[in-house]
Amino acid sequence: MKQTAMKQPKLDVFNQMESEVRSYCRSFQTVFNKASNALLWDKHHKAYIDFFAGAGALNYGHNNPRIREKLVQYLLEDGVTHSLDMATEAKERFLLQFNNLILKPRSMSYKVMFPGPTGTNAVESALKIARKVTGRTNIICFTNAFHGMSLGSLSATGNSFKRKGAGVTLGNTTFMPYDQYFGSSIDTAAMLEKMLDDPGSGIDKPAAVLLETLQGEGGLNSASQAWLQSIEKICRKHDMLLIVDDVQMGCGRTGSFFSFEDAKIEPDLICLSKSIGGYGLPMALTLIKPKYDQWEPGEHNGTFRGNNLGFVAASEALTYWSDPDFTSQISKKSKILHDFLARMAKTYPKEIQEVRGKGFIQGLAFVEPSHAGKLSAEAFERGVIMETSGPRDEVAKIMPPLTIEEKLLHEGLERIEEALQAMFSPAAAKGKVSVHA
Ligand SMILES: Cc1ncc(COP(=O)(O)O)c(C=O)c1O
């Protein structure tokens, strides 16, 4: 791909007019104007390989042509765009597709709730219904969890910086150590069970356990199948609902549509957002086991629950899941990613602590936390967009669109290798031809 040497564009309008709360544009200082699958271009025609995929909202790539065609057709036919939660043909089609392509093949029976079109709204609704059906308030959540920025979700989020932003006391949650929090010798599921069994533990009987199977924002910490199965058993024993927040790890990110499929657990509530909207369009779902669908009409409302463009895009995106080659491609590319990261960890054993993650979201945990941000900056210089995660931003995370071309994946990884060389063995990097040349 053609790379053009270019001075950093000025970001004056954004600096002057946009709130200080802006974040990603501070790491990626340019103005983008075009995108296709795993490529983004800025207004100076410089191309970037997207290894961030809208934080998981673009699993099917930017401007996926299959999805775009359906959207354009729908718009040209004057299809309904906004409908609150009124019935529309677009929503009907989505529900049928979701049932036929996702739920039925997995023998899953869930009612589909459309909360407001964000991940945090899916989580809020799951917390509410769990509390309503059990009549209890406490929620068990985990160290380094991330569930969103609204108050309920934030109460279940570990990061102290994000929590501080709430400005009020966050409560009705009990944090427990996630799998491997104390290393492999301590079983934190057994710890949770003991605490819940013990009337002296100080834990109020919870309504639910809320977890991510792999903590995307919390540092790519992955829960084992055995741990997830133990947590499910504990939920059944203590009559608590099991909520899986699959907002980031769902829609194929870990290799299967739901991230918990290989663990063979059956959550009572499942939160989906990000890539469920197919095209990067806002959409969210809360899947509810039918017996727990005890909402009163309108008890969790929201103006933008009927984003029909989201339904149209999602209906087409789901067709990827009827093609077995799609999942085998994800696992092939996941292996390429893993092999590359393992090689980097071997090359820089003093600097890289370990490879983390699973499927098509993996990364490098650095000994010195600031090295992850440095790698992201060096990669950006070389035309690759990637982010950091973890409580100290110590993990450099790679999550390209699932649809990325293999050649482009290799090219992006090569640039990351060059970035690591520039950081840790500058002499070796010197001889390399810069991608900006
Ligand atoms: C696991 C998880 N849950 C919830 C959210 C919140 O989603 P949103 O930003 O759409 O509110 C995120 C966002 O990154 C997430 O990763």
Side-chain angles (χ1 to χ4, degrees), residues 24 54-56 117-123 145-150 153 157 210-218 245-249 271 273-274 283-284 397:
Y24 294 123
T118 59
T120 198
N121 218 304
V123 173
F146 182 84
H147 297 291
M149 291 287 101
S150 52
S153 308
T157 290
L210 168 64
L211 60 84
E212 302 151 89
T213 61
L214 195 167
Q215 298 180 321
E217 299 303 302
D245 176 348
D246 236 4
V247 165
Q248 187 165 152
M249 295 307 145
C271 305
S273 186
K274 293 197 188 265
M283 184 170 162
K397 149 169 127 166

Side-chain angles (χ1 to χ4, degrees), residues 112-377:
V112 180
M113 171 182 181
F114 298 98
T118 59
T120 198
N121 218 304
V123 173
E124 292 288 348
S125 63
L127 297 179
K128 273 193 194 174
I129 196 66
R131 285 173 171 142
K132 179 171 177 170
V133 301
T134 59
R136 299 176 218 132
T137 55
N138 192 23
I139 304 285
I140 299 289
C141 46
F142 294 96
T143 47
N144 288 311
F146 182 84
H147 297 291
M149 291 287 101
S150 52
L151 290 184
S153 308
L154 206 46
S155 302
T157 290
N159 186 292
S160 58
F161 170 71
K162 305 279 190 211
R163 289 176 67 83
K164 196 163 146 263
V168 295
T169 307
L170 297 169
N172 301 308
T173 49
T174 299
F175 279 85
M176 293 297 294
Y178 192 69
D179 192 16
Q180 307 277 318
Y181 187 71
F182 298 111
S184 54
S185 59
I186 296 181
D187 179 352
T188 61
M191 191 182 279
L192 172 63
E193 183 165 23
K194 169 126 177 95
M195 299 281 282
L196 291 173
D197 285 345
D198 181 359
S201 71
I203 296 183
D204 295 329
K205 191 173 168 67
V209 172
L210 168 64
L211 60 84
E212 302 151 89
T213 61
L214 195 167
Q215 298 180 321
E217 299 303 302
L220 303 188
N221 310 304
S222 186
S224 68
Q225 293 180 17
W227 188 83
L228 292 169
Q229 288 159 3
S230 300
I231 297 289
E232 182 182 46
K233 270 196 208 118
I234 297 166
C235 285
R236 304 299 165 236
K237 177 174 163 189
H238 285 274
D239 187 28
M240 311 177 293
L241 272 59
L242 174 59
I243 310 172
V244 171
D245 176 348
D246 236 4
V247 165
Q248 187 165 152
M249 295 307 145
C251 303
R253 184 46 66 186
T254 61
S256 47
F257 184 83
F258 295 106
S259 70
F260 51 81
E261 286 180 44
D262 54 2
K264 298 193 170 40
I265 57 169
E266 287 181 26
D268 300 297
L269 301 161
I270 303 162
C271 305
L272 286 174
S273 186
K274 293 197 188 265
S275 278
I276 192 66
Y279 203 72
L281 291 168
M283 184 170 162
L285 301 181
T286 312
L287 305 180
I288 309 172
K289 275 204 180 152
K291 66 178 168 184
Y292 297 128
D293 184 25
Q294 295 173 22
W295 291 111
E296 296 294 328
E299 204 177 352
H300 186 89
N301 251 350
T303 306
F304 289 107
R305 289 169 305 136
N307 175 10
N308 287 267
L309 292 180
F311 301 150
V312 170
S315 300
E316 181 58 26
L318 291 178
T319 64
Y320 275 90
W321 294 95
S322 60
D323 175 8
D325 189 49
F326 183 55
T327 39
S328 49
Q329 281 297 320
I330 302 173
S331 65
K332 186 175 175 211
K333 288 182 264 191
S334 302
K335 184 166 179 332
I336 293 172
L337 176 56
H338 184 80
D339 290 350
F340 167 77
L341 294 174
R343 186 164 61 79
M344 291 303 101
K346 223 170 147 191
T347 309
Y348 301 109
K350 285 202 197 98
E351 291 83 5
I352 295 169
Q353 190 191 325
E354 60 182 347
V355 177
R356 294 213 190 138
K358 178 179 167 188
F360 219 28
I361 175 160
Q362 298 185 49
L364 297 172
F366 284 90
V367 175
E368 161 51 45
S370 67
H371 282 159
K374 174 93 173 117
L375 176 58
S376 166

